[in-house]
Amino acid sequence: MSQQPPPTALSDPAIEDIELLVVGGGKAGKTLAMEWANAGRRVAMIERGWIGGTCINVACIPTKTLVTSARALRMARRARELGFVVGQLPGDPLAGDVAVDIDLLRAHKEGVVGEMVASQRSLFLASGMDLVIGEAVFVAPRTVRVTADDGSRRTLRGEQVVINTGARPLVPDLDGLTDVPYLTSETLLELRTIPRSLVVLGGGVVSTELAQMFAVFGSSVTVIERGPHLLSRLDPAVSDAVADALRADGVDVRLSAPAHSVARAHWPGGEGVVVHLADGSQITADALLVATGRTPATATLDLPSAGVDVTDRGFVATDEFLRTTAPGTWAAGDVAGTPQFTHASYDDYRVLRANLAGGSVSTAGRVIPSAVFIDPELAMIGLSQVQAEAAGYTVKVARMPVAKIPRAHTLRATAGLWSAVVDADTNLLLGVTLMGAEASESLTSAQMVMSAGLPYTALRDAIIIHPTMTEGFTLLFAGID
């Protein structure tokens, strides 16, 4: 029997020329693509599979959805303190007990994500853009070849190109890690059970949020941080408060504890992982979460073929106007080294929109707020005291326990610390860090004062609704002088 010849490889079709080619559907790119398409321009956006980008699918939206569940669970467990009972008849010694149902939890998360993904897809298609699902690789400047799941190919060339492929979890070069099952911030979202015990490598934003959340869900959690503080860019007093908040929920926080290696652990009826620390101690758990940062998603793009350079950390190299080293090619969001927040990527969209229209809007000097959705919440903008003093400012510092804010008592949420750094020469706010209930909402008031170039007294002397958490600014600044 004669052997059949191999199938002929699909030949590349003719190049399709368009006005705007967006590679990766993150916040900046998808917003620009929809705007141009709605204006009747020829636009194609290539997405590998996550409609709406990282935030909606595996980052901000699903994690904050689960954080909401953890907060509700904590509230239910405090039912008697707040004047009601949950699940049992009054007088029952078990009144107030609640439990996590992993199937309901996953359905809740997937429901929120699914609704937002469907909405995004509808908006993309309604705009008139060409939404291309597939893997893109540059074959020439401003030109990509896209391979779909069925093997078909298209070659697209844009008059203008935006690279917006985001970032992925960074997996450190740790001895033994490739030989053990481990979770990342993305794969953790697909868990079918709540692990009895969980070790978290890293002490950053993702680590602290997920560690506390799983502790509330019932896991025995240990956080291993190689440095002396969690969230190392914060002033030590705030970092210490974050560690205390995690410990209050039962998290074992190990600081100055670099991991040396990991290995499989076995016990009757199961297996897990053992983490060996540099000091010779070890921690055994059912599951290991690697949360040591994120790295740009550029490995498969073949950026040299596009004439696009990268930095020594692998991010797409851009100038302050988000132009890359290749003419007509721009980059935005995480992949361009922008602070890894969706709201920062959205501001990149504003920069791109203006500059593609002939403007010269710069990213230099912008002040971007951030939040860590632990409990109590943490939100910050601008400089810490250490950073301000290192920059040469003479500063005044205001600090206040959240327990001084009346609204905190009505919420039964008096844990936390507010602080602000003021330029002693101009009375302008240099930075604000809020740790407490509703911190991410309250911070916006300080951000507006900073954006307007107003002195801190604009907040101190404002007539703010009582009782609200934002009212705390009048108390925070009352004694700064």
Side-chain angles (χ1 to χ4, degrees):
M1 180 176 179
S2 61
Q3 187 176 22
Q4 293 292 325
T8 303
L10 294 173
S11 58
D12 286 344
I15 294 175
E16 304 173 53
D17 285 303
I18 53 178
E19 292 178 83
L20 175 65
L21 173 62
V22 177
V23 182
K27 185 64 175 180
K30 70 184 181 185
T31 310
L32 184 69
M34 282 190 290
E35 183 176 278
W36 277 43
N38 279 316
R41 307 179 80 167
R42 300 189 313 279
V43 176
M45 184 173 76
I46 303 165
E47 178 51 63
R48 186 158 49 186
W50 282 341
I51 301 298
T54 299
C55 173
I56 289 177
N57 287 272
V58 293
C60 328
I61 299 303
T63 57
K64 277 46 175 186
T65 297
L66 294 176
V67 164
T68 298
S69 297
R71 288 184 177 178
L73 183 59
R74 180 187 283 107
M75 182 70 74
R77 287 172 176 162
R78 297 173 56 207
R80 285 189 173 278
E81 179 185 354
L82 298 170
F84 62 97
V85 294
V86 176
Q88 303 289 335
L89 294 174
D92 189 311
L94 297 178
D97 282 2
V98 290
V100 175
D101 184 311
I102 188 65
D103 294 326
L104 290 176
L105 192 66
R106 188 172 56 255
H108 166 53
K109 182 263 296 183
E110 291 176 355
V112 172
V113 171
E115 290 172 2
M116 295 191 69
V117 167
S119 175
Q120 292 280 292
R121 184 187 289 273
S122 177
L123 289 171
F124 294 164
L125 297 178
S127 72
M129 75 164 71
D130 185 1
L131 176 61
V132 185
I133 305 299
E135 188 81 31
V137 58
F138 281 95
V139 294
R142 296 182 291 105
T143 307
V144 297
R145 180 184 297 122
V146 185
T147 303
D149 291 343
D150 63 2
S152 62
R153 290 178 172 178
R154 295 174 64 182
T155 303
L156 305 170
R157 178 169 57 203
E159 294 176 17
Q160 301 291 337
V161 174
V162 175
I163 302 170
N164 190 209
T165 50
R168 55 183 176 79
L170 172 66
V171 178
D173 183 15
L174 179 62
D175 185 32
L177 188 58
T178 57
D179 299 323
V180 302
Y182 63 86
L183 300 164
T184 69
S185 59
E186 296 176 1
T187 59
L188 186 74
L189 298 173
E190 303 306 320
L191 277 179
R192 298 288 169 173
T193 60
I194 301 295
R196 290 174 302 173
S197 54
L198 176 68
V199 174
V200 182
L201 291 185
V205 173
V206 172
S207 167
T208 52
E209 287 184 354
L210 295 180
Q212 187 185 50
M213 183 180 77
F214 271 86
V216 173
F217 287 159
S219 297
S220 174
V221 181
T222 302
V223 171
I224 301 171
E225 165 55 33
R226 65 182 302 113
H229 299 285
L230 300 177
L231 302 169
S232 58
R233 295 183 181 180
L234 298 176
D235 282 330
V238 182
S239 295
D240 291 345
V242 171
D244 289 343
L246 266 61
R247 290 181 178 123
D249 277 315
V251 178
D252 181 6
V253 179
R254 307 281 186 95
L255 302 174
S256 300
H260 176 267
S261 63
V262 296
R264 288 180 181 267
H266 302 274
W267 50 78
E271 65 174 26
V273 295
V274 57
V275 181
H276 298 276
L277 303 183
D279 63 4
S281 63
Q282 64 184 44
I283 302 168
T284 302
D286 292 314
L288 170 67
L289 169 63
V290 177
T292 52
R294 296 179 68 82
T295 189
T298 58
T300 62
L301 292 178
D302 192 3
L303 293 176
S305 291
V308 173
D309 292 345
V310 298
T311 69
D312 56 358
R313 297 180 58 203
F315 295 96
V316 176
T318 66
D319 62 14
E320 64 186 274
F321 307 105
L322 298 180
R323 295 179 299 214
T324 72
T325 53
T329 306
W330 312 72
D334 298 358
V335 76
T338 295
Q340 295 179 10
F341 310 114
T342 298
H343 49 279
S345 184
Y346 186 73
D347 193 62
D348 280 358
Y349 147 73
R350 297 188 185 107
V351 173
L352 289 173
R353 177 184 60 184
N355 294 344
L356 282 165
S360 57
V361 175
S362 170
T363 61
R366 60 184 177 177
V367 181
I368 297 173
S370 62
V372 185
F373 291 91
I374 55 174
D375 193 352
E377 214 167 73
L378 176 64
M380 59 222 114
I381 188 170
L383 303 177
S384 67
Q385 179 181 355
V386 172
Q387 291 169 331
E389 290 174 344
Y393 289 100
T394 301
V395 302
K396 297 187 288 188
V397 178
R399 283 201 181 92
M400 178 187 72
V402 167
K404 286 194 172 183
I405 304 174
R407 177 61 172 161
H409 291 269
T410 70
L411 296 172
R412 288 281 191 174
T414 55
L417 176 72
W418 279 25
S419 64
V421 182
V422 172
D423 183 343
D425 297 324
T426 65
N427 278 340
L428 295 178
L429 274 173
L430 298 175
V432 175
T433 300
L434 308 180
M435 184 178 181
E438 302 175 8
S440 61
E441 302 291 344
S442 299
L443 186 75
T444 302
S445 297
Q447 181 181 358
M448 293 301 100
V449 166
M450 294 173 69
S451 297
L454 297 174
Y456 78 90
T457 51
L459 269 173
R460 183 195 66 187
D461 300 335
I463 303 174
I464 301 174
I465 293 172
H466 171 83
T468 60
M469 292 302 294
T470 305
E471 182 188 24
F473 283 116
T474 63
L475 303 170
L476 176 67
F477 292 122
I480 192 171
D481 292 321

